[in-house]
Amino acid sequence: MKIQLASKHVPGTAIILPIFSGSKPVWPKEISTESKKFIETALKFFDGSEKSAKVLRIPDEKNVLTVVLLGLGDKKSWTRRKFLLAVRRIVGVAKAEKIKEIGFNLKDLAARVADDEAVKLMAINLIKANYEFNKYKEVPKEGWPKIENIYTSVSKANKKLERALEEGIIIGEEVNRSRDLANTPGGDMTPKVLADDAVNSGKRAGFSVKVLEEKEIERLGMGGVIGVSKGSSEKPRFIITEYFGGKKKDAPIVFVGKGVTFDTGGINLKPGDSSYEMHLDMTGGGSAIHAVAAIARLKLKVNVVALVPAVENMPSGSSYHPGDQLKTITGKTIEVLNTDAEGRVILADGLGYAQKYKPSLIIDVATLTGSAIGALGQRAMAVFTKDNKLQKMVLELGERTGERGWPLPLWDEYLDEIKGTFGDVANIGKTRYGGAIHGAIFLKQFVGSYPWVHLDIAPTMTTIDGEYLAKGASGTAVQLLVELARKLAH
Ligand code: BES
Ligand code: ZN
Ligand code: ZN
């Protein structure tokens, strides 16, 4: 799929005609009087309600002109979010109807979003919507439906808009690469495979990658990573990616991503079908790596690091046990009360390692708790931080990118919940209530005094109906991390 800016309708391409309910369309100049008449008749039976769409095929002299009526609902309640959903819907309709070339006027759709921002968001969402994970399916005889060209007409294509388009394409591509990693089944996605992807991404996008293996992880004192990995025949990795595009003396932003390539729960084995989607438990790690890849490709003037402790959580004769005391890189011990709360155990070492950089900000991304899903549903990630300015920034960027977050508290009183009996911190709370907060307050014990945000992305790990994205991994948080880095760059 190639996305291009155009100044007018390109002959032979399908025209997307956005229609607000009760409003007339903005007619592209290129539509002939006869075609217009045809469309006007069709519009008598199309009310433009939100989510509706109708495809018209109009015999137009030699060719057939394809017009897609895209219902947008009430104009007054048009929002940025509805704009990006409508963009995704265009791809859905085109694929379903096997339309290969499409064109639309961005202004009709974007409404109040500034031109360059609209172009960027459009590109990201076209690319996200075009994504499918078909690697494990037989290719149909006629091939997968494919959109060849998308022409977006803007009033005046200039350097700024071209750059916005380029940026959107880069970000969209890296979001999809993160989805590829997460969607890969647990049997094929191991800590080594995740590390290999980081190495290849580094070569491709221009950032440095170091992969620590078991011996080195042990030597550094990362007892959390070693402990969780023990039950699996797949050896752990600790992935370090660095992109220094800022000034030498600038303290970096460090992303720490949970890289559990499969979470069975370990000895506290997950019941029933609870492990069904647990190959997605490295989503945070994949998103952190591909956020750095996007930042490097965008050449942002900022120093960023992504750290990904990567393990598989398996039950076996060599597994870590409930009751084990694991010594982390910070010297603090973790009292393991439940082997299924493994994400925080490996992140403790990731966060401890992050402190070596004397970072300006640590931000961890983790599919940490089912409790966060219980609290927020699947439409927002949980945001934890003690820093009000950072919180505001994350929530605002969530709105801008469409990757929404919502805050949960971090009051010190919650600490009582995770006091260890024989070790320093217990890896689960004393009660069943507020599990996402227990996870967050646990992590807080390992960040020292550095500014820190914890994103529990379990809620947004998968796509949901009505988002117009392929089933499976959503690639959550890539956009948010990129925009956060941009905001904090020079
Ligand atoms: N990876 C899970 C959390 C999860 C669940 C993510 C569902 C996405 C969808 C995590 O490791 C886990 O098992 N958490 C437990 C913690 C509990 C044992 C304290 C949970 O949330 O139930
Ligand atoms: Zn778990
Ligand atoms: Zn997990």
PDB file of all heavy atoms in Angstrom, residues 320-356:
ATOM      1  N   TYR A 320      10.995 -21.751  39.277  1.00  0.00           N
ATOM      2  CA  TYR A 320      11.034 -21.042  40.567  1.00  0.00           C
ATOM      3  C   TYR A 320       9.767 -21.394  41.338  1.00  0.00           C
ATOM      4  O   TYR A 320       8.755 -21.751  40.737  1.00  0.00           O
ATOM      5  CB  TYR A 320      11.281 -19.556  40.390  1.00  0.00           C
ATOM      6  CG  TYR A 320      10.175 -18.615  39.938  1.00  0.00           C
ATOM      7  CD1 TYR A 320      10.041 -17.357  40.544  1.00  0.00           C
ATOM      8  CD2 TYR A 320       9.303 -18.921  38.888  1.00  0.00           C
ATOM      9  CE1 TYR A 320       9.085 -16.445  40.127  1.00  0.00           C
ATOM     10  CE2 TYR A 320       8.350 -18.004  38.467  1.00  0.00           C
ATOM     11  CZ  TYR A 320       8.244 -16.766  39.099  1.00  0.00           C
ATOM     12  OH  TYR A 320       7.302 -15.867  38.684  1.00  0.00           O
ATOM     13  N   HIS A 321       9.884 -21.344  42.648  1.00  0.00           N
ATOM     14  CA  HIS A 321       8.792 -21.822  43.501  1.00  0.00           C
ATOM     15  C   HIS A 321       8.104 -20.681  44.238  1.00  0.00           C
ATOM     16  O   HIS A 321       8.745 -19.695  44.572  1.00  0.00           O
ATOM     17  CB  HIS A 321       9.303 -22.753  44.605  1.00  0.00           C
ATOM     18  CG  HIS A 321      10.313 -23.750  44.167  1.00  0.00           C
ATOM     19  ND1 HIS A 321      11.606 -23.413  43.846  1.00  0.00           N
ATOM     20  CD2 HIS A 321      10.219 -25.081  44.013  1.00  0.00           C
ATOM     21  CE1 HIS A 321      12.266 -24.500  43.499  1.00  0.00           C
ATOM     22  NE2 HIS A 321      11.442 -25.528  43.584  1.00  0.00           N
ATOM     23  N   PRO A 322       6.834 -20.876  44.546  1.00  0.00           N
ATOM     24  CA  PRO A 322       6.197 -19.977  45.509  1.00  0.00           C
ATOM     25  C   PRO A 322       6.999 -20.075  46.803  1.00  0.00           C
ATOM     26  O   PRO A 322       7.349 -21.176  47.235  1.00  0.00           O
ATOM     27  CB  PRO A 322       4.798 -20.562  45.676  1.00  0.00           C
ATOM     28  CG  PRO A 322       4.560 -21.357  44.427  1.00  0.00           C
ATOM     29  CD  PRO A 322       5.897 -21.904  44.027  1.00  0.00           C
ATOM     30  N   GLY A 323       7.327 -18.942  47.369  1.00  0.00           N
ATOM     31  CA  GLY A 323       8.133 -18.939  48.596  1.00  0.00           C
ATOM     32  C   GLY A 323       9.595 -18.634  48.335  1.00  0.00           C
ATOM     33  O   GLY A 323      10.335 -18.288  49.256  1.00  0.00           O
ATOM     34  N   ASP A 324      10.034 -18.709  47.064  1.00  0.00           N
ATOM     35  CA  ASP A 324      11.437 -18.373  46.753  1.00  0.00           C
ATOM     36  C   ASP A 324      11.732 -16.910  47.080  1.00  0.00           C
ATOM     37  O   ASP A 324      10.849 -16.045  46.989  1.00  0.00           O
ATOM     38  CB  ASP A 324      11.722 -18.606  45.259  1.00  0.00           C
ATOM     39  CG  ASP A 324      12.034 -20.073  44.960  1.00  0.00           C
ATOM     40  OD1 ASP A 324      12.082 -20.880  45.916  1.00  0.00           O
ATOM     41  OD2 ASP A 324      12.214 -20.406  43.764  1.00  0.00           O
ATOM     42  N   GLN A 325      12.969 -16.665  47.464  1.00  0.00           N
ATOM     43  CA  GLN A 325      13.430 -15.288  47.672  1.00  0.00           C
ATOM     44  C   GLN A 325      14.444 -14.994  46.571  1.00  0.00           C
ATOM     45  O   GLN A 325      15.466 -15.665  46.479  1.00  0.00           O
ATOM     46  CB  GLN A 325      14.109 -15.147  49.050  1.00  0.00           C
ATOM     47  CG  GLN A 325      13.272 -15.614  50.231  1.00  0.00           C
ATOM     48  CD  GLN A 325      12.100 -14.683  50.546  1.00  0.00           C
ATOM     49  OE1 GLN A 325      11.997 -13.571  50.012  1.00  0.00           O
ATOM     50  NE2 GLN A 325      11.214 -15.133  51.421  1.00  0.00           N
ATOM     51  N   LEU A 326      14.128 -14.018  45.736  1.00  0.00           N
ATOM     52  CA  LEU A 326      15.018 -13.712  44.612  1.00  0.00           C
ATOM     53  C   LEU A 326      15.708 -12.374  44.859  1.00  0.00           C
ATOM     54  O   LEU A 326      15.051 -11.364  45.135  1.00  0.00           O
ATOM     55  CB  LEU A 326      14.211 -13.640  43.307  1.00  0.00           C
ATOM     56  CG  LEU A 326      13.372 -14.873  42.951  1.00  0.00           C
ATOM     57  CD1 LEU A 326      12.570 -14.615  41.677  1.00  0.00           C
ATOM     58  CD2 LEU A 326      14.255 -16.111  42.792  1.00  0.00           C
ATOM     59  N   LYS A 327      17.022 -12.372  44.738  1.00  0.00           N
ATOM     60  CA  LYS A 327      17.769 -11.124  44.939  1.00  0.00           C
ATOM     61  C   LYS A 327      17.892 -10.375  43.614  1.00  0.00           C
ATOM     62  O   LYS A 327      18.403 -10.907  42.629  1.00  0.00           O
ATOM     63  CB  LYS A 327      19.147 -11.429  45.501  1.00  0.00           C
ATOM     64  CG  LYS A 327      19.868 -10.188  45.952  1.00  0.00           C
ATOM     65  CD  LYS A 327      20.938 -10.502  46.969  1.00  0.00           C
ATOM     66  CE  LYS A 327      21.495  -9.210  47.534  1.00  0.00           C
ATOM     67  NZ  LYS A 327      21.886  -9.368  48.911  1.00  0.00           N
ATOM     68  N   THR A 328      17.382  -9.147  43.593  1.00  0.00           N
ATOM     69  CA  THR A 328      17.400  -8.374  42.345  1.00  0.00           C
ATOM     70  C   THR A 328      18.689  -7.576  42.223  1.00  0.00           C
ATOM     71  O   THR A 328      19.479  -7.498  43.178  1.00  0.00           O
ATOM     72  CB  THR A 328      16.218  -7.383  42.299  1.00  0.00           C
ATOM     73  OG1 THR A 328      16.397  -6.421  43.345  1.00  0.00           O
ATOM     74  CG2 THR A 328      14.893  -8.106  42.493  1.00  0.00           C
ATOM     75  N   ILE A 329      18.843  -6.944  41.078  1.00  0.00           N
ATOM     76  CA  ILE A 329      20.038  -6.140  40.788  1.00  0.00           C
ATOM     77  C   ILE A 329      20.178  -4.964  41.770  1.00  0.00           C
ATOM     78  O   ILE A 329      21.267  -4.465  41.993  1.00  0.00           O
ATOM     79  CB  ILE A 329      20.000  -5.653  39.316  1.00  0.00           C
ATOM     80  CG1 ILE A 329      21.359  -5.149  38.852  1.00  0.00           C
ATOM     81  CG2 ILE A 329      18.933  -4.595  39.105  1.00  0.00           C
ATOM     82  CD1 ILE A 329      21.456  -4.897  37.367  1.00  0.00           C
ATOM     83  N   THR A 330      19.064  -4.561  42.380  1.00  0.00           N
ATOM     84  CA  THR A 330      19.116  -3.429  43.323  1.00  0.00           C
ATOM     85  C   THR A 330      19.540  -3.882  44.722  1.00  0.00           C
ATOM     86  O   THR A 330      19.745  -3.062  45.599  1.00  0.00           O
ATOM     87  CB  THR A 330      17.734  -2.757  43.461  1.00  0.00           C
ATOM     88  OG1 THR A 330      16.841  -3.705  44.077  1.00  0.00           O
ATOM     89  CG2 THR A 330      17.162  -2.324  42.133  1.00  0.00           C
ATOM     90  N   GLY A 331      19.622  -5.184  44.928  1.00  0.00           N
ATOM     91  CA  GLY A 331      19.933  -5.697  46.269  1.00  0.00           C
ATOM     92  C   GLY A 331      18.679  -6.081  47.038  1.00  0.00           C
ATOM     93  O   GLY A 331      18.727  -6.885  47.965  1.00  0.00           O
ATOM     94  N   LYS A 332      17.542  -5.513  46.655  1.00  0.00           N
ATOM     95  CA  LYS A 332      16.276  -5.869  47.320  1.00  0.00           C
ATOM     96  C   LYS A 332      15.875  -7.289  46.943  1.00  0.00           C
ATOM     97  O   LYS A 332      16.067  -7.701  45.793  1.00  0.00           O
ATOM     98  CB  LYS A 332      15.156  -4.929  46.857  1.00  0.00           C
ATOM     99  CG  LYS A 332      15.101  -3.646  47.615  1.00  0.00           C
ATOM    100  CD  LYS A 332      13.764  -2.941  47.441  1.00  0.00           C
ATOM    101  CE  LYS A 332      13.752  -1.716  48.308  1.00  0.00           C
ATOM    102  NZ  LYS A 332      13.600  -0.462  47.619  1.00  0.00           N
ATOM    103  N   THR A 333      15.286  -7.996  47.900  1.00  0.00           N
ATOM    104  CA  THR A 333      14.809  -9.342  47.574  1.00  0.00           C
ATOM    105  C   THR A 333      13.305  -9.333  47.320  1.00  0.00           C
ATOM    106  O   THR A 333      12.555  -8.541  47.897  1.00  0.00           O
ATOM    107  CB  THR A 333      15.096 -10.350  48.702  1.00  0.00           C
ATOM    108  OG1 THR A 333      14.559  -9.820  49.914  1.00  0.00           O
ATOM    109  CG2 THR A 333      16.577 -10.610  48.852  1.00  0.00           C
ATOM    110  N   ILE A 334      12.909 -10.247  46.429  1.00  0.00           N
ATOM    111  CA  ILE A 334      11.486 -10.421  46.132  1.00  0.00           C
ATOM    112  C   ILE A 334      11.036 -11.740  46.741  1.00  0.00           C
ATOM    113  O   ILE A 334      11.651 -12.788  46.506  1.00  0.00           O
ATOM    114  CB  ILE A 334      11.232 -10.465  44.606  1.00  0.00           C
ATOM    115  CG1 ILE A 334      11.644  -9.144  43.962  1.00  0.00           C
ATOM    116  CG2 ILE A 334       9.752 -10.780  44.319  1.00  0.00           C
ATOM    117  CD1 ILE A 334      11.597  -9.160  42.443  1.00  0.00           C
ATOM    118  N   GLU A 335       9.985 -11.669  47.528  1.00  0.00           N
ATOM    119  CA  GLU A 335       9.384 -12.886  48.068  1.00  0.00           C
ATOM    120  C   GLU A 335       8.318 -13.332  47.076  1.00  0.00           C
ATOM    121  O   GLU A 335       7.311 -12.648  46.887  1.00  0.00           O
ATOM    122  CB  GLU A 335       8.760 -12.570  49.425  1.00  0.00           C
ATOM    123  CG  GLU A 335       8.124 -13.754  50.108  1.00  0.00           C
ATOM    124  CD  GLU A 335       7.936 -13.486  51.605  1.00  0.00           C
ATOM    125  OE1 GLU A 335       6.956 -12.802  51.963  1.00  0.00           O
ATOM    126  OE2 GLU A 335       8.766 -13.932  52.400  1.00  0.00           O
ATOM    127  N   VAL A 336       8.573 -14.440  46.429  1.00  0.00           N
ATOM    128  CA  VAL A 336       7.644 -14.909  45.391  1.00  0.00           C
ATOM    129  C   VAL A 336       6.472 -15.616  46.063  1.00  0.00           C
ATOM    130  O   VAL A 336       6.637 -16.679  46.646  1.00  0.00           O
ATOM    131  CB  VAL A 336       8.347 -15.881  44.416  1.00  0.00           C
ATOM    132  CG1 VAL A 336       7.359 -16.401  43.374  1.00  0.00           C
ATOM    133  CG2 VAL A 336       9.532 -15.202  43.747  1.00  0.00           C
ATOM    134  N   LEU A 337       5.325 -14.999  46.012  1.00  0.00           N
ATOM    135  CA  LEU A 337       4.154 -15.670  46.591  1.00  0.00           C
ATOM    136  C   LEU A 337       3.280 -16.279  45.510  1.00  0.00           C
ATOM    137  O   LEU A 337       2.443 -17.136  45.776  1.00  0.00           O
ATOM    138  CB  LEU A 337       3.353 -14.691  47.451  1.00  0.00           C
ATOM    139  CG  LEU A 337       4.117 -14.207  48.708  1.00  0.00           C
ATOM    140  CD1 LEU A 337       3.269 -13.240  49.521  1.00  0.00           C
ATOM    141  CD2 LEU A 337       4.570 -15.376  49.574  1.00  0.00           C
ATOM    142  N   ASN A 338       3.478 -15.805  44.275  1.00  0.00           N
ATOM    143  CA  ASN A 338       2.712 -16.361  43.170  1.00  0.00           C
ATOM    144  C   ASN A 338       3.572 -16.270  41.903  1.00  0.00           C
ATOM    145  O   ASN A 338       3.979 -15.178  41.501  1.00  0.00           O
ATOM    146  CB  ASN A 338       1.403 -15.570  43.003  1.00  0.00           C
ATOM    147  CG  ASN A 338       0.458 -16.234  42.026  1.00  0.00           C
ATOM    148  OD1 ASN A 338       0.869 -16.702  40.958  1.00  0.00           O
ATOM    149  ND2 ASN A 338      -0.812 -16.291  42.382  1.00  0.00           N
ATOM    150  N   THR A 339       3.835 -17.421  41.306  1.00  0.00           N
ATOM    151  CA  THR A 339       4.740 -17.415  40.137  1.00  0.00           C
ATOM    152  C   THR A 339       4.078 -16.817  38.894  1.00  0.00           C
ATOM    153  O   THR A 339       4.739 -16.595  37.884  1.00  0.00           O
ATOM    154  CB  THR A 339       5.214 -18.850  39.792  1.00  0.00           C
ATOM    155  OG1 THR A 339       4.061 -19.653  39.485  1.00  0.00           O
ATOM    156  CG2 THR A 339       5.989 -19.470  40.944  1.00  0.00           C
ATOM    157  N   ASP A 340       2.764 -16.560  38.979  1.00  0.00           N
ATOM    158  CA  ASP A 340       2.073 -15.946  37.844  1.00  0.00           C
ATOM    159  C   ASP A 340       2.208 -14.420  37.855  1.00  0.00           C
ATOM    160  O   ASP A 340       1.892 -13.763  36.877  1.00  0.00           O
ATOM    161  CB  ASP A 340       0.595 -16.362  37.852  1.00  0.00           C
ATOM    162  CG  ASP A 340      -0.103 -16.048  36.543  1.00  0.00           C
ATOM    163  OD1 ASP A 340       0.612 -15.742  35.560  1.00  0.00           O
ATOM    164  OD2 ASP A 340      -1.346 -16.109  36.502  1.00  0.00           O
ATOM    165  N   ALA A 341       2.674 -13.865  38.978  1.00  0.00           N
ATOM    166  CA  ALA A 341       2.943 -12.418  38.988  1.00  0.00           C
ATOM    167  C   ALA A 341       4.412 -12.246  38.622  1.00  0.00           C
ATOM    168  O   ALA A 341       5.223 -11.706  39.392  1.00  0.00           O
ATOM    169  CB  ALA A 341       2.620 -11.829  40.353  1.00  0.00           C
ATOM    170  N   GLU A 342       4.768 -12.740  37.419  1.00  0.00           N
ATOM    171  CA  GLU A 342       6.170 -12.832  37.005  1.00  0.00           C
ATOM    172  C   GLU A 342       6.665 -11.560  36.338  1.00  0.00           C
ATOM    173  O   GLU A 342       7.863 -11.269  36.363  1.00  0.00           O
ATOM    174  CB  GLU A 342       6.348 -14.023  36.055  1.00  0.00           C
ATOM    175  CG  GLU A 342       5.989 -13.768  34.572  1.00  0.00           C
ATOM    176  CD  GLU A 342       4.525 -13.402  34.333  1.00  0.00           C
ATOM    177  OE1 GLU A 342       3.682 -13.722  35.193  1.00  0.00           O
ATOM    178  OE2 GLU A 342       4.235 -12.782  33.289  1.00  0.00           O
ATOM    179  N   GLY A 343       5.730 -10.794  35.753  1.00  0.00           N
ATOM    180  CA  GLY A 343       6.131  -9.590  35.014  1.00  0.00           C
ATOM    181  C   GLY A 343       6.869  -8.622  35.926  1.00  0.00           C
ATOM    182  O   GLY A 343       7.965  -8.148  35.600  1.00  0.00           O
ATOM    183  N   ARG A 344       6.320  -8.367  37.076  1.00  0.00           N
ATOM    184  CA  ARG A 344       6.935  -7.414  38.011  1.00  0.00           C
ATOM    185  C   ARG A 344       8.296  -7.912  38.503  1.00  0.00           C
ATOM    186  O   ARG A 344       9.171  -7.127  38.834  1.00  0.00           O
ATOM    187  CB  ARG A 344       5.973  -7.129  39.175  1.00  0.00           C
ATOM    188  CG  ARG A 344       5.648  -8.319  40.015  1.00  0.00           C
ATOM    189  CD  ARG A 344       4.383  -8.128  40.855  1.00  0.00           C
ATOM    190  NE  ARG A 344       3.165  -8.213  40.032  1.00  0.00           N
ATOM    191  CZ  ARG A 344       1.934  -8.108  40.526  1.00  0.00           C
ATOM    192  NH1 ARG A 344       1.743  -7.894  41.817  1.00  0.00           N
ATOM    193  NH2 ARG A 344       0.884  -8.194  39.739  1.00  0.00           N
ATOM    194  N   VAL A 345       8.451  -9.248  38.551  1.00  0.00           N
ATOM    195  CA  VAL A 345       9.708  -9.827  39.042  1.00  0.00           C
ATOM    196  C   VAL A 345      10.853  -9.535  38.061  1.00  0.00           C
ATOM    197  O   VAL A 345      11.941  -9.119  38.460  1.00  0.00           O
ATOM    198  CB  VAL A 345       9.549 -11.348  39.275  1.00  0.00           C
ATOM    199  CG1 VAL A 345      10.873 -11.968  39.699  1.00  0.00           C
ATOM    200  CG2 VAL A 345       8.470 -11.626  40.321  1.00  0.00           C
ATOM    201  N   ILE A 346      10.577  -9.701  36.759  1.00  0.00           N
ATOM    202  CA  ILE A 346      11.638  -9.414  35.779  1.00  0.00           C
ATOM    203  C   ILE A 346      11.804  -7.898  35.589  1.00  0.00           C
ATOM    204  O   ILE A 346      12.899  -7.404  35.356  1.00  0.00           O
ATOM    205  CB  ILE A 346      11.402 -10.108  34.421  1.00  0.00           C
ATOM    206  CG1 ILE A 346      10.096  -9.651  33.770  1.00  0.00           C
ATOM    207  CG2 ILE A 346      11.401 -11.627  34.571  1.00  0.00           C
ATOM    208  CD1 ILE A 346       9.964 -10.073  32.309  1.00  0.00           C
ATOM    209  N   LEU A 347      10.695  -7.165  35.718  1.00  0.00           N
ATOM    210  CA  LEU A 347      10.778  -5.704  35.548  1.00  0.00           C
ATOM    211  C   LEU A 347      11.569  -5.066  36.687  1.00  0.00           C
ATOM    212  O   LEU A 347      12.202  -4.023  36.504  1.00  0.00           O
ATOM    213  CB  LEU A 347       9.376  -5.090  35.477  1.00  0.00           C
ATOM    214  CG  LEU A 347       8.626  -5.357  34.168  1.00  0.00           C
ATOM    215  CD1 LEU A 347       7.181  -4.899  34.268  1.00  0.00           C
ATOM    216  CD2 LEU A 347       9.313  -4.663  32.988  1.00  0.00           C
ATOM    217  N   ALA A 348      11.544  -5.692  37.866  1.00  0.00           N
ATOM    218  CA  ALA A 348      12.324  -5.170  38.992  1.00  0.00           C
ATOM    219  C   ALA A 348      13.790  -5.042  38.572  1.00  0.00           C
ATOM    220  O   ALA A 348      14.434  -4.009  38.813  1.00  0.00           O
ATOM    221  CB  ALA A 348      12.186  -6.095  40.193  1.00  0.00           C
ATOM    222  N   ASP A 349      14.307  -6.079  37.888  1.00  0.00           N
ATOM    223  CA  ASP A 349      15.689  -6.013  37.401  1.00  0.00           C
ATOM    224  C   ASP A 349      15.830  -5.009  36.260  1.00  0.00           C
ATOM    225  O   ASP A 349      16.827  -4.301  36.167  1.00  0.00           O
ATOM    226  CB  ASP A 349      16.147  -7.404  36.931  1.00  0.00           C
ATOM    227  CG  ASP A 349      16.512  -8.308  38.106  1.00  0.00           C
ATOM    228  OD1 ASP A 349      16.985  -7.789  39.134  1.00  0.00           O
ATOM    229  OD2 ASP A 349      16.307  -9.533  37.993  1.00  0.00           O
ATOM    230  N   GLY A 350      14.832  -4.950  35.395  1.00  0.00           N
ATOM    231  CA  GLY A 350      14.870  -3.987  34.288  1.00  0.00           C
ATOM    232  C   GLY A 350      14.918  -2.562  34.823  1.00  0.00           C
ATOM    233  O   GLY A 350      15.705  -1.730  34.359  1.00  0.00           O
ATOM    234  N   LEU A 351      14.094  -2.277  35.801  1.00  0.00           N
ATOM    235  CA  LEU A 351      14.046  -0.931  36.382  1.00  0.00           C
ATOM    236  C   LEU A 351      15.340  -0.641  37.142  1.00  0.00           C
ATOM    237  O   LEU A 351      15.878   0.470  37.098  1.00  0.00           O
ATOM    238  CB  LEU A 351      12.838  -0.804  37.311  1.00  0.00           C
ATOM    239  CG  LEU A 351      11.473  -0.912  36.613  1.00  0.00           C
ATOM    240  CD1 LEU A 351      10.344  -1.066  37.640  1.00  0.00           C
ATOM    241  CD2 LEU A 351      11.213   0.302  35.730  1.00  0.00           C
ATOM    242  N   GLY A 352      15.837  -1.653  37.844  1.00  0.00           N
ATOM    243  CA  GLY A 352      17.102  -1.495  38.569  1.00  0.00           C
ATOM    244  C   GLY A 352      18.235  -1.185  37.602  1.00  0.00           C
ATOM    245  O   GLY A 352      19.050  -0.293  37.846  1.00  0.00           O
ATOM    246  N   TYR A 353      18.266  -1.894  36.488  1.00  0.00           N
ATOM    247  CA  TYR A 353      19.302  -1.667  35.471  1.00  0.00           C
ATOM    248  C   TYR A 353      19.155  -0.260  34.883  1.00  0.00           C
ATOM    249  O   TYR A 353      20.143   0.420  34.614  1.00  0.00           O
ATOM    250  CB  TYR A 353      19.200  -2.722  34.368  1.00  0.00           C
ATOM    251  CG  TYR A 353      20.377  -2.746  33.432  1.00  0.00           C
ATOM    252  CD1 TYR A 353      21.426  -3.639  33.619  1.00  0.00           C
ATOM    253  CD2 TYR A 353      20.452  -1.856  32.348  1.00  0.00           C
ATOM    254  CE1 TYR A 353      22.514  -3.654  32.767  1.00  0.00           C
ATOM    255  CE2 TYR A 353      21.545  -1.856  31.499  1.00  0.00           C
ATOM    256  CZ  TYR A 353      22.569  -2.768  31.706  1.00  0.00           C
ATOM    257  OH  TYR A 353      23.649  -2.765  30.854  1.00  0.00           O
ATOM    258  N   ALA A 354      17.911   0.188  34.703  1.00  0.00           N
ATOM    259  CA  ALA A 354      17.647   1.517  34.121  1.00  0.00           C
ATOM    260  C   ALA A 354      18.338   2.617  34.929  1.00  0.00           C
ATOM    261  O   ALA A 354      18.788   3.621  34.369  1.00  0.00           O
ATOM    262  CB  ALA A 354      16.142   1.769  34.066  1.00  0.00           C
ATOM    263  N   GLN A 355      18.442   2.414  36.216  1.00  0.00           N
ATOM    264  CA  GLN A 355      19.044   3.447  37.074  1.00  0.00           C
ATOM    265  C   GLN A 355      20.513   3.705  36.729  1.00  0.00           C
ATOM    266  O   GLN A 355      21.033   4.784  37.014  1.00  0.00           O
ATOM    267  CB  GLN A 355      18.928   3.038  38.540  1.00  0.00           C
ATOM    268  CG  GLN A 355      17.493   3.001  39.038  1.00  0.00           C
ATOM    269  CD  GLN A 355      17.435   2.754  40.539  1.00  0.00           C
ATOM    270  OE1 GLN A 355      18.212   3.313  41.300  1.00  0.00           O
ATOM    271  NE2 GLN A 355      16.513   1.895  40.958  1.00  0.00           N
ATOM    272  N   LYS A 356      21.175   2.725  36.114  1.00  0.00           N
ATOM    273  CA  LYS A 356      22.579   2.909  35.710  1.00  0.00           C
ATOM    274  C   LYS A 356      22.741   4.104  34.781  1.00  0.00           C
ATOM    275  O   LYS A 356      23.807   4.689  34.691  1.00  0.00           O
ATOM    276  CB  LYS A 356      23.090   1.666  34.967  1.00  0.00           C
ATOM    277  CG  LYS A 356      23.342   0.444  35.818  1.00  0.00           C
ATOM    278  CD  LYS A 356      23.918  -0.651  34.903  1.00  0.00           C
ATOM    279  CE  LYS A 356      23.982  -2.006  35.593  1.00  0.00           C
ATOM    280  NZ  LYS A 356      25.125  -2.131  36.508  1.00  0.00           N
TER     281      LYS A 356
END
